[in-house]
Amino acid sequence: MAKQNVAEQFVDILARAGVRRLYGVVGDSLNPVVDAVRRNAAIDWVQVRHEEAAAFAAGAEAQITGKLAACAGSCGPGNLHLINGLYDAHRSMAPVLALASHIPSSEIGLNYFQETHPDRLFAECSHYSEMISSPRQMPRLLQTAIQHAVGQGGVSVVTLPGDIAAAPAPERAAEHAMVTSRPSVRPGDGEIDRLARMIDEADRVTLFCGSGTAGAHAEVMEFAERVKSPVGHALRGKEWIQYDNPFDVGMSGLLGYGAAYEATHECDLLILLGTDFPYNAFLPDDVKIAQVDVRPEHLGRRTKLDLAVWGDVRETLTCLIPKVRAKTDRRFLDRMLKKHADALEGVVKAYTRKVDRHIPIHPEYVAAVLDDVADDDAVFTVDTGMCNVWAARYLSPNGRRRVIGSFSHGSMANALPQAIGAQFTDRRRQIVSMSGDGGFAMLMGDFLTLVQYDLPVKIVLFNNSSLGMVELEMMVAGLPAYGTGNRNPDFAAIARAAGAHGVRVEKPKQLAAALKDAFRHPGPALVDVVTDPNALSIPPKISAEMVTGFALSASKIVLDGGVGRMVQMARSNLRNVPRP
């Protein structure tokens, strides 16, 4: 058997850790690793057109599978391009291993061509960032990096000089057992007992749920029924908690709707379940608050807590439910359900008048039709900006669909590269990129990656020829819109020129057929929908305090109208309210 070099050993360890793809762009210092991938049947090299797309794709793959994914960049500018996508993966708690290849080890510190210091540069967007300085060090360092990414949920970065990657690996390198999954975390009995007492003493309990409720839908519903609690959610909690939820009162935050805000402010006890909801202006400061989270560093960093509980949501509720007295008074719950239904009834009319004839097309109408025709197990990747609004308002979760976006990092141009990573996990599953024209144009080069690998991603392009959210932020601040207009090409023609299916839609009556045709197409497809840039208005319940600064000013753009199927769900929940 031929002696391995360090790059081959590196790739073998990745494969043993379950990595099946390495996303990146080839080049110089990275070449030994890419060649090792070429000769390893267990792992594939995915050639993207920009390293930022590689990091976004790896992050999306990790979020879909729950397993380690990987990306790579060559020395200097190559690995620097990874940084934005890695920030997003890290803030999304996606386990990603990034390889930052480096200049020759003998030249480090001498201002060599393309020299940077990756082990320093990536420190803020990773749990672990270290450089391999000798072949003997590599196996243990890589294993440590993998365990940081998997165990803590986020990014690890390994810096590897090209000459060390090409060097012979040491003889009889130990094969270490590796951690490739995370354990459940159960709170202590003392915390469970204290939380149970707080719940028993409260007359009105509200649950506010985030992405940490993944896998705990049944337990949340059982607990809500036991304590007669309204259940609201943050954007990242929507896909896990909104479906089949008779206690649903909507979403709070920048894109909020319904009665979630009222439910969190009018209760005696607010329980935050698996959420690191960042907008503390939307959280109450005059009610008792308990927080349950598997990551202790999240506890109390958004609001003052009366009780912090370190544990998985599912494990915590499993322990808690038998210890809590069942409540019989539904008055608070029923009042919040009615407020929720009334709120949705009051706003839904705004975009139900002649929407099927309005030109330019209402973007809400596009999202509603998309929700109807997409598969029940579709994965939606969602661009930051107005596409976040449409996803929050119109996509109907059902326990099988997934919705991925740059919800914590807030980067433009995430949807297309995330769709690449999602599609590679399963070519038969429907992957839909909800892209804005600004975000799509920013990383449009990686549309060619779809064509190169014949990935059947479907891009639904909300094309309003503007940076819509930025324009509205300027308006909120009393500034004239400036620098927000886009002079766009016919994106469908570009798609066809690249060898993909492309169609441009300018009339509402063309929309459903265009989407269905694109979804039936076996390869990549783009539907360029010309949408109305003036389809928004300001809601009545936003205070001046809430719109201070960039993040909170965005709350001004919440729609007055349009909430998709949620109004039907709210009506159904009201019908199920017991009558005296």
Side-chain angles (χ1 to χ4, degrees):
M1 181 177 177
K3 184 177 177 62
Q4 281 190 318
N5 64 21
V6 170
E8 292 168 319
Q9 191 179 64
F10 186 99
V11 172
D12 278 350
I13 293 172
L14 288 185
R16 285 179 47 226
V19 173
R20 294 296 171 258
R21 280 162 288 277
L22 191 58
Y23 300 90
V25 178
V26 300
D28 44 73
S29 57
L30 191 56
N31 290 342
V33 175
V34 176
D35 188 63
V37 172
R38 178 183 65 83
R39 290 180 282 109
N40 192 314
I43 192 167
D44 294 322
W45 176 259
V46 177
Q47 177 186 343
V48 296
R49 301 307 173 101
H50 193 293
E51 288 92 349
E52 182 178 351
F56 272 124
E61 178 180 323
Q63 289 179 72
I64 292 294
T65 65
K67 299 177 181 178
L68 184 70
C71 57
S74 58
C75 64
N79 61 59
L80 280 177
H81 285 160
L82 294 170
I83 198 164
N84 191 50
L86 292 182
Y87 260 100
D88 182 79
H90 194 56
R91 288 176 168 169
S92 300
M93 296 177 284
V96 171
L97 187 287
L99 168 61
S101 68
H102 203 8
I103 63 172
S105 57
S106 60
E107 302 296 335
I108 294 173
L110 300 174
N111 198 26
Y112 189 71
F113 176 65
Q114 294 188 323
E115 181 173 6
T116 59
H117 293 89
D119 51 321
R120 303 179 203 169
L121 286 166
F122 293 100
E124 191 174 303
C125 63
S126 66
H127 292 302
Y128 183 86
S129 181
E130 294 290 348
M131 183 173 72
I132 295 170
S133 55
S134 75
R136 191 168 297 279
Q137 177 193 19
M138 191 280 292
R140 285 186 299 153
L141 192 147
L142 179 55
Q143 178 189 4
T144 300
I146 290 169
Q147 292 181 178
H148 273 78
V150 173
Q152 296 186 37
V155 170
S156 285
V157 181
V158 172
T159 299
L160 178 61
D163 59 314
I164 294 178
E171 296 282 357
R172 296 184 299 278
E175 288 196 1
H176 301 276
M178 283 185 287
V179 171
T180 56
S181 61
R182 299 179 68 183
S184 297
V185 178
R186 180 195 184 280
D189 291 336
E191 284 72 28
I192 293 292
D193 291 341
R194 282 193 287 274
L195 182 54
R197 284 195 299 272
M198 289 176 69
I199 294 166
D200 288 343
E201 292 168 1
D203 292 326
R204 302 181 302 276
V205 179
T206 292
L207 308 183
F208 187 69
C209 302
S211 61
T213 58
H217 184 276
E219 288 76 13
V220 173
M221 295 303 107
E222 182 181 357
F223 181 62
E225 168 59 35
R226 190 167 184 83
V227 300
K228 306 300 182 285
S229 169
V231 177
H233 59 270
L235 178 55
R236 291 190 66 200
K238 174 184 171 76
E239 64 177 325
W240 305 113
I241 215 67
Q242 188 191 31
Y243 69 96
D244 295 340
N245 181 356
F247 314 98
D248 179 55
V249 291
M251 188 169 80
S252 191
L254 303 182
L255 310 180
Y257 58 83
Y261 182 88
E262 288 85 350
T264 57
H265 283 72
E266 297 180 25
C267 60
D268 298 325
L269 173 63
L270 173 61
I271 304 177
L272 306 174
L273 292 176
T275 179
D276 191 34
F277 182 71
Y279 308 111
N280 54 13
F282 289 91
L283 294 172
D285 56 11
D286 57 352
V287 305
K288 288 186 177 180
I289 301 178
Q291 183 179 3
V292 179
D293 206 288
V294 73
R295 297 182 71 158
E297 67 271 22
H298 288 180
L299 295 169
R301 73 176 181 180
R302 306 304 184 191
T303 188
K304 181 179 180 295
L305 299 180
D306 294 276
L307 180 64
V309 180
W310 180 12
D312 296 335
V313 171
R314 184 176 180 180
E315 290 291 328
T316 300
L317 293 182
T318 298
C319 298
L320 181 65
I321 289 170
K323 296 194 173 190
V324 173
R325 290 198 303 268
K327 297 184 186 296
T328 57
D329 187 348
R330 288 183 55 104
R331 285 177 295 176
F332 175 62
L333 170 60
D334 293 344
R335 182 160 59 88
M336 290 300 111
L337 291 175
K338 187 175 189 309
K339 276 194 174 186
H340 180 60
D342 288 347
L344 300 192
E345 291 279 7
V347 301
V348 75
K349 298 172 185 174
Y351 295 113
T352 57
R353 297 189 188 95
K354 301 180 180 178
V355 292
D356 58 344
R357 297 194 293 277
H358 183 87
I359 298 173
I361 302 170
H362 276 312
E364 306 88 340
Y365 179 70
V366 180
V369 175
L370 172 61
D371 185 56
D372 282 338
V373 302
D375 288 351
D376 288 341
D377 66 344
V379 176
F380 299 90
T381 60
V382 182
D383 259 346
T384 298
M386 297 319 304
C387 286
N388 271 194
V389 180
W390 317 137
R393 292 296 180 105
Y394 285 91
L395 295 184
S396 302
N398 58 12
R400 299 170 62 200
R401 286 178 166 181
R402 294 296 313 274
V403 182
I404 294 174
S406 187
F407 299 139
S408 297
H409 184 49
S411 173
M412 283 183 67
N414 60 284
L416 168 60
Q418 286 178 331
I420 292 171
Q423 192 71 82
F424 265 113
T425 67
D426 186 349
R427 285 179 171 269
R428 296 168 297 179
R429 191 172 186 181
Q430 187 181 81
I431 311 295
V432 181
S433 172
M434 294 177 64
S435 297
D437 56 291
F440 179 74
M442 185 177 283
L443 283 178
M444 187 166 59
D446 269 285
F447 185 79
L448 300 177
T449 302
L450 301 183
V451 176
Q452 178 162 333
Y453 289 95
D454 197 29
L455 291 174
V457 168
K458 314 306 177 188
I459 296 172
V460 180
L461 188 60
F462 289 75
N463 182 1
N464 64 2
S465 296
S466 72
L467 301 177
M469 182 169 280
V470 178
E471 189 167 297
L472 285 161
E473 289 162 6
M474 289 179 173
M475 292 169 60
V476 167
L479 302 172
Y482 183 75
T484 58
N486 294 327
R487 183 178 176 181
N488 287 331
D490 182 338
F491 289 108
I494 290 177
R496 292 193 297 271
H501 175 87
V503 61
R504 186 174 174 89
V505 177
E506 297 179 348
K507 297 179 180 179
K509 65 181 180 181
Q510 302 168 336
L511 179 63
L515 290 175
K516 291 175 183 177
D517 286 347
F519 290 167
R520 283 193 293 264
H521 182 73
L526 182 146
V527 181
D528 180 4
V529 187
V530 180
T531 59
D532 186 353
N534 302 309
L536 300 176
S537 56
I538 297 173
K541 289 189 177 181
I542 297 294
S543 69
E545 184 181 38
M546 286 182 181
V547 297
T548 301
F550 167 80
L552 294 180
S553 71
S555 58
K556 280 279 206 177
I557 67 162
V558 179
L559 298 179
D560 266 349
V563 285
R565 296 178 184 170
M566 286 179 280
V567 69
Q568 283 79 27
M569 180 176 174
R571 289 170 183 157
S572 175
N573 287 346
L574 265 188
R575 284 195 296 271
N576 293 328
V577 169
R579 303 300 179 192

